[in-house]
């Protein structure tokens, strides 16, 4: 490991070069200290901050697995042991520090007014597989197409969410010639009618959901040790909300204002009542608000809601529908392809007075469009990391880093045994076992060992786990698929060579807690050029600097003139 330090003493900071060769094998194999990891997060100043005032970025996956299925009664894993093995693999293979953890109303309240605490015990035990490793969690009350109980045994599609008692009495379901399961949201009369009734609280169905969700949250809080409950960041009240159908004269935006937001306020009040007052609600806008296929797209983004405030988080999803179609985007994703879309998410959160998270994103890892997966995932992570494409980052790098959870992490992938819609003649074993999807970033090999289904270079990334102050700019070039970063500084370009690299610029608060970057497998023995003192602990780069603006470049040692590169970086840094 080579680390180059510069020290913040006026102009000398730009010129001083101290190249230190450190042989710290014991440090590299020892477990990383986690003395700052157990603090609770809150939204403050448009970002997540921990108890030490550090700006925190959440990165990880949706823990879904069988949570959307009946196979293991709505739990993500077959057992708590499987959950622990999966959590450990996620941490080791990707450096994730947070997960979105699914649970489902149908399994919480299978009979009206009766809460299944055995199911909630299972949820809590599997959730603790992650909090026990210091991985933060935010809960998601999940639904797709309202409920699996709307669908006939021989249907092409299925859903999840509401229990059977809340999905009875609706017309026979049929989506007609639907080519994607999501079309059921608009075309299936059973789905649209049941969804409409939920938002209008027919027969008190929404009341029942809010009360059941409250009991689930109460159970989780009481079952978790206090130090692990601190690692629970918040809760998503309902996955991918949609009106079903609109009232006369109603638009998608007025529906958000008049029906969706009041539901979120009710849910927020229930959170406060059951001991979750310190946790934000991760609220989603209308599901189609940022869809890039015109056939599906509808205005939304909570545009008519004047403010959310810091007790809420603006919670968006992003999937490239054109790329998934295989026709509307015939080629691969390109540099900067999604920066505008993620810029819109940043702008909406800012306008609503809070921070943003992209709680779902991804692309199929198998199937006829999976050749696009490396480029699409790379471009999505680029959009999360920075508001500028790689070709322009060095000249216009400013932009916040977005938190996000990739869809998804399923160690059952390809090994399911799901009776689709309870039909013993339709046993689903392939992929996600849900509407023919193939999204899991992980599977088990023949020996039962978790292995990635995607290039590790794309999902095991440098990202700022915690910044002591305020992030001004960040970028990471993973070198997977192709290189999009254009380094204009000749000596820096020579030092970096073809290695992965990251650059962080931040305003340091000079506090006692360090700025932390996750180091992927490819950069565990890094070359660091920084204005802050740097050290490595396992998969963490720790940066400690005094008050004021700081920078750090992280790459692999590959040659070149480090002193000259450092001087170039100093000149670039002072041009801000």
């Amino acid at each position: 490991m080579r680390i180059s330090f510069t020290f913040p003493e006026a102009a000398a900071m730009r010129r001083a070069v101290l190249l230190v060769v450190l042989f710290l094998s014991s440090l590299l194999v020892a477990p990383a200290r986690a003395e700052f990891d157990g603090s609770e997060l809150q939204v403050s100043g448009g970002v997540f901050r921990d108890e030490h005032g550090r700006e925190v970025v959440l990165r990880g996956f949706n823990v879904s697995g069988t949570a959307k299925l009946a196979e293991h009664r709505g739990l993500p894993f077959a057992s708590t042991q499987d959950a622990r093995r999966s959590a450990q693999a996620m941490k080791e293979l990707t450096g994730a520090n947070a997960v979105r953890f699914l649970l489902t109303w149908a399994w919480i309240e299978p009979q009206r007014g009766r809460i299944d605490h055995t199911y909630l015990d299972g949820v809590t035990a599997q959730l603790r597989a992650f909090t026990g490793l210091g991985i933060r969690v935010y809960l998601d009350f999940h639904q797709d197409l309202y409920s699996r109980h709307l669908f006939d045994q021989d249907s092409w599609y299925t859903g999840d969410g509401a229990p059977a008692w809340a999905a009875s009495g609706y017309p026979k379901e049929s989506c007609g010639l639907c080519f994607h399961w999501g079309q059921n949201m608009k075309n299936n009369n059973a789905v649209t009618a049941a969804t409409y009734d939920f938002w209008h609280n027919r027969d008190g169905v929404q009341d029942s959901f809010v009360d059941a969700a409250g009991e689930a949250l109460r159970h989780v809080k009481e079952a978790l040790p206090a130090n692990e409950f601190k690692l629970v960041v918040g809760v998503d009240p309902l996955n991918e909300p949609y009106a079903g159908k609109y009232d006369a004269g109603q638009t998608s935006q007025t529906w958000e204002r008049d029906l969706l937001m009041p539901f979120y306020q009710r849910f927020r009040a229930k959170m406060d009542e059951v001991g979750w007052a310190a946790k934000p609600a991760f609220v989603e806008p209308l599901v189609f608000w940022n869809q890039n296929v015109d056939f599906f797209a509808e205005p939304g983004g909570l545009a008519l809601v004047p403010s959310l405030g810091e007790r809420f988080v603006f919670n968006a999803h992003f999937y490239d529908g054109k790329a998934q179609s295989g026709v509307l985007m015939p080629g691969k994703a390109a540099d900067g392809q999604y920066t505008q879309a993620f810029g819109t998410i940043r702008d909406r959160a800012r306008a609503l007075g809070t921070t943003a998270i992209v709680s779902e994103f991804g692309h199929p890892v198998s199937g006829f469009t999976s050749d696009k997966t490396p480029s699409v995932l790379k471009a999505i992570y680029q959009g999360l990391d920075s508001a500028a494409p790689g070709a322009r980052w060095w000249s216009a790098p400013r932009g916040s880093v977005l938190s996000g959870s990739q869809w998804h992490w399923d160690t059952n992938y390809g090994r399911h045994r799901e009776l689709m819609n309870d039909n013993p003649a339709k046993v689903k074993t392939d992929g996600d076992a849900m509407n023919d999807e193939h999204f899991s970033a992980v599977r088990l090999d023949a020996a039962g060992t978790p292995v990635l289904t995607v290039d590790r270079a794309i999902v095991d990334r440098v990202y700022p786990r915690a910044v002591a102050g305020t992030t001004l700019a960040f970028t990471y070039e993973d070198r997977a698929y192709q290189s999009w970063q254009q380094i204009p500084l000749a000596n820096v370009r020579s030092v970096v060579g073809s290695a992965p690299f990251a650059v962080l610029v931040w305003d340091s608060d000079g506090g006692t807690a360090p700025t932390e970057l996750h180091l992927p497998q490819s950069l565990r023995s890094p070359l660091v050029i920084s204005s802050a003192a740097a050290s490595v602990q396992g998969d963490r780069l720790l940066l400690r600097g005094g008050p004021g603006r700081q920078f750090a470049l992280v790459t692999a040692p590959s040659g070149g003139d480090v002193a000259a590169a450092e001087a170039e970086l100093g000149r670039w840094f002072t041009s801000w």
Side-chain angles (χ1 to χ4, degrees):
M1 176 178 67
R2 292 196 299 168
I3 302 181
S4 179
F5 301 99
T6 55
F7 298 93
E9 284 136 8
M13 178 192 60
R14 279 71 171 175
R15 300 188 299 269
V17 177
L18 176 60
L19 181 62
V20 182
V21 180
L22 298 175
F23 298 98
L24 298 177
S25 57
S26 61
L27 193 60
L28 291 175
V29 298
R33 296 205 313 265
E35 64 265 43
F36 297 105
D37 270 2
S39 62
E40 194 161 29
L41 299 188
Q42 291 186 330
V43 180
S44 177
V47 297
F48 292 109
R49 290 199 183 274
D50 66 13
E51 294 171 7
H52 309 284
R54 297 185 303 175
E55 181 180 327
V56 173
V57 173
L58 304 175
R59 286 288 174 88
F61 296 83
N62 283 261
V63 175
S64 46
T66 57
K68 294 169 66 169
L69 308 176
E71 181 180 7
H72 296 301
R73 297 186 55 80
L75 293 172
F77 305 99
S79 67
T80 303
Q81 182 180 4
D82 285 349
R84 293 193 187 105
R85 183 164 53 244
S86 185
Q88 187 66 46
M90 183 190 295
K91 189 168 186 176
E92 292 175 355
L93 293 173
T94 74
N97 70 343
V99 296
R100 181 177 183 240
F101 193 100
L102 277 61
L103 68 167
T104 310
W105 180 23
W107 301 103
I108 296 168
E109 191 183 17
Q111 296 179 327
R112 193 165 197 172
R114 297 184 63 180
I115 302 300
D116 187 343
H117 289 278
T118 300
Y119 167 71
L120 293 173
D121 284 338
V123 166
T124 307
Q126 294 191 8
L127 183 156
R128 292 193 66 189
F130 293 86
T131 56
L133 291 176
I135 297 174
R136 300 183 187 275
V137 172
Y138 59 109
L139 297 180
D140 161 44
F141 286 91
H142 208 80
Q143 71 81 34
D144 295 288
L145 309 182
Y146 186 73
S147 173
R148 67 194 298 266
H149 299 288
L150 290 176
F151 290 84
D152 300 328
Q153 280 199 334
D154 60 351
S155 178
W156 291 2
Y157 302 107
T158 190
D160 67 287
W165 62 262
S168 61
Y170 291 102
K172 180 176 173 59
E173 63 85 17
S174 175
C175 197
L177 294 177
C178 292
F179 296 101
H180 186 274
W181 67 264
Q183 291 176 265
N184 283 272
M185 293 189 202
K186 297 186 177 185
N187 295 354
N188 190 320
N189 288 336
V191 173
T192 58
T195 304
Y196 177 90
D197 285 350
F198 177 84
W199 295 113
H200 290 78
N201 199 24
R202 181 182 178 184
D203 296 329
V205 66
Q206 189 183 117
D207 296 339
S208 292
F209 171 77
V210 172
D211 288 342
E215 289 305 307
L217 295 178
R218 189 195 311 273
H219 184 114
V220 170
K221 182 180 187 299
E222 292 176 353
L224 283 176
N227 64 316
E228 293 186 38
F229 185 62
K230 291 178 74 172
L231 293 175
V232 179
V233 183
V235 57
D236 184 341
L238 193 69
N239 178 68
E240 295 184 348
Y242 184 59
K245 50 189 176 181
Y246 296 114
D247 290 315
Q250 191 176 56
T251 68
S252 55
Q253 291 179 318
T254 59
W255 175 82
E256 283 186 326
R257 181 193 64 195
D258 298 338
L259 286 174
L260 181 60
M261 197 61 213
F263 164 74
Y264 287 149
Q265 296 288 3
R266 290 189 66 198
F267 198 96
R268 174 72 267 178
K270 180 62 70 172
M271 290 174 63
D272 296 350
E273 177 187 322
V274 298
W276 289 61
K279 315 283 188 184
F282 288 57
V283 298
E284 301 185 35
L286 174 99
V287 62
F288 297 120
W289 81 283
N290 61 344
Q291 173 58 246
N292 67 350
V293 177
D294 291 343
F295 176 80
F296 284 108
E298 296 183 37
L302 303 177
L304 299 185
V305 176
S307 179
L308 288 176
E310 295 182 339
R311 280 164 45 80
F312 296 87
V313 171
F314 182 68
N315 177 8
H317 291 183
F318 181 81
Y319 293 96
D320 187 342
K322 291 182 178 179
Q324 288 189 39
S325 75
V327 176
L328 299 176
M329 192 189 94
K332 307 294 197 299
D335 178 25
Q337 183 152 328
Y338 304 131
T339 52
Q340 182 176 352
F342 285 99
T344 300
I345 293 171
R346 289 177 171 90
D347 291 344
R348 289 304 306 136
R350 190 178 302 111
L352 289 165
T354 186
T355 191
I357 191 168
V358 184
S359 65
E360 282 191 30
F361 61 88
H363 192 81
V365 300
S366 179
F368 72 103
T369 68
S370 60
D371 63 311
K372 304 177 192 298
T373 302
S375 66
V376 169
L377 289 180
K378 180 183 177 79
I380 289 174
Y381 277 109
Q382 181 191 56
L384 291 171
D385 287 345
S386 173
R392 298 203 308 270
W393 188 87
W394 290 84
S395 59
R398 292 162 180 79
S400 60
V401 181
L402 286 173
S403 294
S405 303
Q406 184 174 330
W407 186 272
H408 65 126
W409 190 266
D410 176 13
T411 48
N412 303 296
Y413 179 79
R415 296 186 173 205
H416 289 283
R417 185 171 174 78
E418 172 73 0
L419 277 60
M420 184 175 176
N421 298 319
D422 298 322
N423 187 344
K426 295 185 73 174
V427 181
K428 295 294 183 180
T429 59
D430 291 343
D432 300 342
M434 178 77 174
N435 292 326
D436 295 322
E437 290 195 332
H438 293 263
F439 278 82
S440 181
V442 70
R443 63 177 178 84
L444 298 182
D445 65 13
T449 302
V451 294
L452 294 173
T453 64
V454 295
D455 188 343
R456 181 169 181 173
I458 294 177
V459 296
D460 186 15
R461 308 179 62 78
V462 177
Y463 68 94
R465 292 170 53 97
V467 173
T470 300
T471 301
L472 300 177
F474 174 73
T475 189
Y476 177 54
E477 174 53 70
D478 51 41
R479 303 296 194 190
Y481 170 62
Q482 64 181 30
S483 296
W484 290 340
Q485 270 281 352
Q486 309 293 326
I487 303 176
L489 310 177
N491 290 299
V492 174
R493 189 166 61 246
S494 176
V495 165
V496 170
S498 61
F501 72 94
V503 180
L504 173 69
V505 182
W506 75 104
D507 270 335
S508 172
D509 62 10
T512 56
T515 289
E516 296 188 20
L517 298 180
H518 167 67
L519 295 176
Q521 182 186 46
S522 59
L523 292 176
R524 294 292 167 84
S525 298
L527 167 67
V528 179
I529 301 175
S530 180
S531 56
S535 61
V536 171
Q537 291 183 4
D539 67 346
R540 303 178 184 203
L541 173 65
L542 306 183
L543 300 163
R544 299 178 184 272
R549 191 160 295 177
Q550 307 285 345
F551 75 89
L553 177 142
V554 187
T555 188
S558 58
D561 189 333
V562 175
E566 188 169 35
E568 273 188 334
L569 278 171
R571 290 191 292 271
W572 171 78
F573 181 61
T574 58
S575 68
W576 277 56

